[in-house]
Amino acid sequence: MKAGLSTDHSERLERALLSLDGLSVGDAFGQMMSTCARSARSVVQRGGLSSGPWWHTDDTQMAMAIVEELAAHGAIATDSLAKRFAERFQADPGRGYGKGVRMQLEEISRGADWRQTSAAAFSGRGSKGNGSAMRAAPLGAWFADDLTKVTSQSTQSSIVTHMHHEGIAGSVAISLAAAAAWRSRSSALDEARNAIWDAVLSSNTPPGETLDGIRKAKLVPPSMEPENAARFLGSGFLVTAPDTVPFAIWCAIRHLDNYHEALLSTLEGDGDCDTNCAIVGGIVALRVGREGIPTEWLKSRERLDLQPHLQ
Ligand SMILES: [Mg+2]
């Protein structure tokens, strides 16, 4: 083991790869069903799913960069992570990157410093898009044994592209949800649900619209139809963290023990389908394990081009 890496490095990596499987299957499934989100359930019920490969999008590309960064350094080194994001983008740009991130990664590829590109995004406000939340679950999985690091490391991961405090809040909240899902995986369902709400509503999630939205989400009864919950909370049509993260957390908690149902319910909220499903999948997988992800779905997702030693 390299100097500086934690003694439980391999366990952290295993958890992050589990979350990445949940995230990438969710991303690919959500993307494939995005044009018929509200009828996804009937497509699945009549056996109408394509046999694959199901192509993943930018959510998975960026999450893979994070897992590779953590596997290499045991922590997020921002310069190195920016380079990994840019290299993945350059190698495979047609993965549905949002315009703001695409512009940043193009500049970084030409030698710009991420500190400048991230700060300059959206006329100098920084991005509050959902793009750092969409990739955050594996990071929460990695640091699930050290919650003090979840917030600081998720912040480091976010600021490379999403420096606005709402972008950071989205990333932190999703990492905390993933960490809590892993930590409470052996607890009774209600106890685990409460543990996740407590984690994301703790003082670790920066205050603002995203946190306010998560507070609202906790008040939405699980009996509400996802379509109605999405109308109330937003489901990513605006592709911002406040418009995406509260609904995604509500969906993950609502179906914490059932990956298949979690994704179908998430799609009933429509919106940013690949990202919503990536977030939900990355969290729920940590509770249900790899065996909880439908085998056919895992097989249908295209093979992940992780570095060979991580495959
Ligand atoms: Mg995407």
Side-chain angles (χ1 to χ4, degrees), residues 10-223:
S10 59
E11 287 173 25
R12 288 177 158 184
L13 176 58
E14 184 49 44
R15 290 199 296 271
L17 289 171
L18 168 61
S19 178
L20 180 62
D21 271 339
L23 183 156
S24 55
V25 172
D27 175 23
F29 181 72
Q31 176 64 19
M32 181 174 65
M33 305 307 279
S34 61
T35 54
C36 58
R38 292 204 169 116
S39 53
R41 186 179 298 279
S42 62
V43 173
V44 172
Q45 280 168 350
R46 67 167 191 267
L49 285 178
S50 127
S51 59
W54 300 352
W55 304 108
H56 66 249
T57 76
D58 53 337
D59 309 49
T60 300
Q61 285 292 315
M62 298 190 100
M64 285 195 286
I66 287 174
V67 172
E68 288 172 341
E69 175 65 20
L70 292 170
H73 299 127
I76 298 291
T78 45
D79 289 343
S80 171
L81 183 61
K83 187 162 177 278
R84 290 178 195 276
F85 285 157
E87 284 172 354
R88 281 195 167 274
F89 170 73
Q90 283 295 104
D92 198 357
R95 291 285 181 174
Y97 289 87
K99 186 177 177 189
V101 166
R102 204 167 62 235
M103 287 165 59
Q104 291 183 52
L105 295 180
E106 280 168 355
E107 287 186 49
I108 293 169
S109 301
R110 288 195 292 267
D113 189 319
W114 66 266
R115 291 163 189 81
Q116 265 102 53
T117 55
S118 186
F122 292 87
S123 308
R125 293 188 294 273
S127 174
K128 64 175 186 179
N130 57 22
S132 59
M134 75 186 185
R135 63 193 192 222
L139 184 148
W142 183 279
F143 290 109
D145 58 354
D146 186 356
L147 284 184
T148 58
K149 287 214 172 134
V150 173
T151 302
S152 60
Q153 288 289 297
S154 194
T155 301
Q156 290 299 102
S157 166
S158 180
I159 58 174
V160 171
T161 50
H162 293 70
M163 213 174 252
H164 191 287
H165 67 270
E166 295 296 348
I168 295 170
S171 177
V172 168
I174 297 306
S175 296
L176 288 168
W182 172 261
R183 289 167 73 92
S184 59
R185 68 196 180 285
S186 306
S187 306
L189 184 56
D190 280 346
E191 204 179 314
R193 286 173 164 151
N194 287 332
I196 297 174
W197 284 123
D198 288 348
V200 296
L201 290 171
S202 70
S203 55
N204 291 318
T205 302
E209 269 183 86
T210 304
L211 183 59
D212 291 348
I214 299 170
R215 286 201 186 99
K216 266 170 69 179
K218 192 182 178 194
L219 300 176
V220 176
S223 57

